[in-house]
Amino acid sequence: MANIKQELKKRILVLDGAMGTMLQRYNFSEDDFRGKRFADYPSPLQGNNDLLSLTQPKAIAEVHAKYFEAGADIVETNTFSGTTIAMADYDMEDLVYELNFESAKIAKEVADKFTKANPEKPRFVAGSIGPTNKTASLSPDVNRPEYRAITFNELRIAYKQQVEALIDGGVDVLLVETIFDTLNAKAALFAIEEVKEERNIDIPIMVSGTITDASGRTLSGQTVEAFLTSVSHIPLLSVGFNCALGAEQLKPYLQRLSNETEFFTSAHPNAGLPNAFGEYDESPQQMQLYIEDYLKDGLVNIIGGCCGTSPEHINAIAEAAQKYKPRLTQEFA
């Protein structure tokens, strides 16, 4: 198995773009989401993208292949909402293990095909672990500031189930991403460490936070430096930022992160900021220019795209990434 750490020392690795953006192109109906297996399911299922790994696996494999063709080195599994906490919205908590396992398996099969065709450019699969739709640090009720909708332990248990299934399905890396509340992420990291210890394995971990606005803080109020300190007790493969901001807006925060850490760094920004309709208008060429700024300044080791990005964006990013050396980082075990 090619070692992702070794590859990161040689070159900048390219992460894929948005799974959701690509799935929108298919215009799947409620019936498509249900497939035969869930035809009579009592809850509405349209919008449950993770479920498509079971009902439309060909489409999921196709999206992964398009990103690899565009130049991605790493694709993320279709498991952003793959916890019992997020799946409760669809009354599908019981399916969590299967959703994660199958999603990992689909991505791994596609990655292996591409690696086999070009062993010089090994392809990797990152198990996508989203933030869930609940927050451990903040109250959802302004009248009850002390109230919490979820506990650390509930998060840990849910994340552990997801992590076990992703590893069983064959992922190469675990990506705890779109972190708006570092306490949620710490529950995920705790769960990962638990699984590693129980199974006596080591698996690289990527962590990616979200700076929500021009305040330069996460939703739960942490600065770049505080976020980094909160997650750095675990030996991470990389730390970075994704979502919420476009590449241009993200740069100053990435600069601060890059200056402060010895881990590899990553970024997968949105295709600009959303317009009035919540859509992303930044073209692949525009995004390439902003990303090239990161590369010139030696800020990243892993670069990709989040909301609104497509294989066209990833192709433009990969083209730029080839021309630059990866950010220098001190050797670490």
Side-chain angles (χ1 to χ4, degrees):
M1 219 303 276
N3 184 327
I4 194 164
K5 272 190 190 174
Q6 300 309 89
E7 292 302 312
L8 278 164
K9 286 171 188 169
K10 293 183 216 165
R11 60 199 170 96
I12 294 167
L13 294 189
V14 177
L15 189 69
D16 63 1
M19 173 61 79
T21 300
M22 292 301 288
L23 291 175
Q24 279 168 10
R25 294 182 180 184
Y26 287 86
N27 283 320
F28 286 133
S29 65
E30 177 72 36
D31 286 346
D32 295 325
F33 272 88
R34 288 174 175 272
K36 279 184 194 159
R37 180 171 163 189
F38 302 101
D40 302 322
Y41 206 78
S43 312
L45 300 178
Q46 193 166 10
N48 185 356
N49 283 352
D50 294 29
L51 181 63
L52 296 171
S53 294
L54 303 184
T55 55
Q56 303 290 339
K58 274 189 183 161
I60 302 299
E62 231 169 64
V63 172
H64 290 320
K66 281 178 181 158
Y67 279 123
F68 279 139
E69 279 159 10
D73 299 288
I74 309 165
V75 296
E76 297 169 59
T77 53
N78 180 37
T79 55
F80 187 79
S81 302
T83 54
T84 48
I85 297 159
M87 280 296 143
D89 288 356
Y90 301 97
D91 300 313
M92 287 194 149
E93 297 96 321
D94 294 350
L95 282 173
V96 162
Y97 183 90
E98 189 185 355
L99 286 172
N100 284 281
F101 179 81
E102 291 301 327
S103 298
K105 214 170 120 195
I106 292 165
K108 189 64 179 159
E109 278 168 12
V110 180
D112 285 349
K113 267 184 210 164
F114 276 84
T115 300
K116 205 173 170 188
N118 183 4
E120 291 302 296
K121 187 177 161 70
R123 311 300 177 103
F124 301 97
V125 174
S128 169
I129 299 171
T132 84
N133 46 7
K134 294 191 173 165
T135 166
S137 294
L138 304 165
S139 171
D141 182 350
V142 288
N143 299 313
R144 296 168 64 201
E146 78 292 351
Y147 172 70
R148 295 293 178 270
I150 193 110
T151 65
F152 183 90
N153 203 40
E154 285 167 332
L155 284 161
R156 177 190 68 80
I157 291 164
Y159 280 129
K160 190 174 180 185
Q161 188 183 10
Q162 182 176 28
V163 166
E164 286 174 333
L166 288 169
I167 292 172
D168 290 346
V171 301
D172 305 298
V173 187
L174 292 167
L175 168 57
V176 182
E177 64 166 317
T178 321
I179 299 163
F180 59 81
D181 180 352
T182 309
L183 195 55
N184 285 36
K186 283 174 89 74
L189 293 169
F190 191 93
I192 293 168
E193 289 304 302
E194 239 182 335
V195 174
K196 279 166 62 175
E197 203 171 307
E198 282 168 16
R199 297 187 175 202
N200 196 19
I201 56 166
D202 195 18
I203 185 164
I205 306 164
M206 294 171 66
V207 161
S208 185
T210 294
I211 297 292
T212 42
D213 54 33
S215 70
R217 292 171 181 263
T218 64
L219 188 68
S220 55
Q222 283 190 312
T223 60
V224 170
E225 293 78 9
F227 165 71
L228 180 62
T229 302
S230 298
V231 295
S232 290
H233 60 295
I234 287 197
L236 302 174
L237 176 73
S238 68
V239 63
F241 291 122
N242 74 292
C243 207
L245 303 176
E248 183 185 20
Q249 296 83 10
L250 189 63
K251 190 183 174 191
Y253 310 117
L254 198 57
Q255 181 96 55
R256 280 160 58 184
L257 182 81
S258 181
N259 291 344
E260 292 292 325
T261 186
E262 289 179 11
F263 297 136
F264 291 120
T265 53
S266 74
H268 52 294
N270 292 344
L273 294 172
N275 62 24
F277 303 103
E279 290 161 353
Y280 296 86
D281 301 324
E282 199 163 275
S283 72
Q285 289 66 38
Q286 285 172 302
M287 198 168 176
Q288 185 189 46
L289 285 174
Y290 295 132
I291 296 279
E292 202 145 355
D293 266 357
Y294 295 4
L295 306 173
K296 279 176 190 159
D297 293 352
L299 300 185
V300 288
N301 301 95
I302 302 168
I303 187 74
C306 203
C307 305
T309 58
S310 63
E312 293 79 15
H313 289 86
I314 296 306
N315 189 247
I317 290 168
E319 208 176 82
Q322 282 175 0
K323 300 182 219 160
Y324 294 89
K325 287 192 163 65
R327 166 182 165 271
L328 287 173
T329 173
Q330 287 183 21
E331 289 288 314
F332 62 89

